[in-house]
Amino acid sequence: MIHQLPLPLTWPDQITFDNFYLSPSNTAIVDCLRQIAERKKSEKYICLYGAYGVGLSHLLYAACHSVQAAGGAALYLPLKKSLSPHMLEGSEHLS
C-alpha cells in the first residue's frame, strides 16, 4: 500500500475572514466558522455546500488559515476533486 505524506501547506494570506464580504444572509455562518477556528466550538469537521461563486472556498480557506495562525493544523479537501478514503487518514489528529 502506498502512503501519502502530508505536506505543511499554507493558505494565501489574503484569504481571511476579514476580507470576506459580509451580508445579512451569511453573517451567521461566518460567525460560526470563526468560533470553530478559534476553538470556541468543538466541531472538528466542516462541510459547506451551496451555489458556485458565493464564497464557500474563501470561507473554508479562511477557517484553515485561522486555525493555522493559532498554531493548529487544518486540512482542506475540495470535494469537486476525486478523493480517496486514504486522504483522511490521520485527520483525527488535526485541530
Side-chain angles (χ1 to χ4, degrees):
M1 177 191 309
I2 297 174
H3 292 292
Q4 183 174 356
L5 297 175
L7 300 175
L9 300 176
T10 59
W11 294 273
D13 289 337
Q14 69 272 19
I15 300 179
T16 66
F17 289 121
D18 293 334
N19 62 16
F20 184 77
Y21 175 75
L22 283 176
S23 70
S25 64
N26 64 23
T27 302
I29 189 62
V30 173
D31 289 342
C32 182
L33 289 171
R34 280 182 191 249
Q35 290 176 19
I36 292 168
E38 295 168 2
R39 297 184 184 180
K40 294 177 183 172
K41 287 191 171 195
S42 62
E43 285 82 354
K44 286 187 62 120
Y45 300 97
I46 302 169
C47 180
L48 297 180
Y49 64 92
Y52 178 81
V54 296
L56 299 175
S57 295
H58 186 122
L59 289 174
L60 290 171
Y61 278 128
C64 290
H65 189 271
S66 291
V67 168
Q68 189 177 41
L75 175 68
Y76 173 75
L77 294 173
L79 295 180
K80 65 182 171 185
K81 306 248 189 234
S82 181
L83 300 178
S84 162
H86 300 291
M87 296 175 94
L88 297 175
E89 287 180 5
S91 65
E92 67 274 8
H93 302 294
L94 297 175
S95 306

